[in-house]
Amino acid sequence: MDFTYLIVILALMTMLAVIVFAMVSKAKVENRREDSDSKKSTLAPDKRSDGEPVDV
């Protein structure tokens, strides 16, 4: 087996992992955005900026 095949396989697996991670993150954000009971970000216009951040 040539190293070229190894590099190609590693590159494709890395791209696949990044795409899966992005899709999962996007789904989490969309679910949180649709949930009316979730805590608001401190960057939201109707939230105090000196409050506790959501993700801490």
Side-chain angles (χ1 to χ4, degrees), residues 1-16:
M1 183 173 200
D2 194 9
F3 282 111
T4 306
Y5 294 116
L6 180 63
I7 297 298
V8 169
I9 290 171
L10 287 174
L12 291 174
M13 294 303 280
T14 302
M15 287 193 306
L16 178 65

Side-chain angles (χ1 to χ4, degrees), residues 39-51:
K39 293 172 92 177
K40 294 205 178 227
S41 169
T42 55
L43 298 175
D46 55 347
K47 170 80 175 178
R48 292 180 40 171
S49 62
D50 60 346

Side-chain angles (χ1 to χ4, degrees), residues 6-47:
L6 180 63
I7 297 298
V8 169
I9 290 171
L10 287 174
L12 291 174
M13 294 303 280
T14 302
M15 287 193 306
L16 178 65
V18 168
I19 290 170
V20 169
F21 177 73
M23 290 174 65
V24 169
S25 295
K26 182 178 185 247
K28 283 183 181 180
V29 167
E30 287 177 352
N31 289 340
R32 185 171 168 198
R33 190 178 292 164
E34 292 172 0
D35 185 14
S36 61
D37 294 333
S38 65
K39 293 172 92 177
K40 294 205 178 227
S41 169
T42 55
L43 298 175
D46 55 347
K47 170 80 175 178

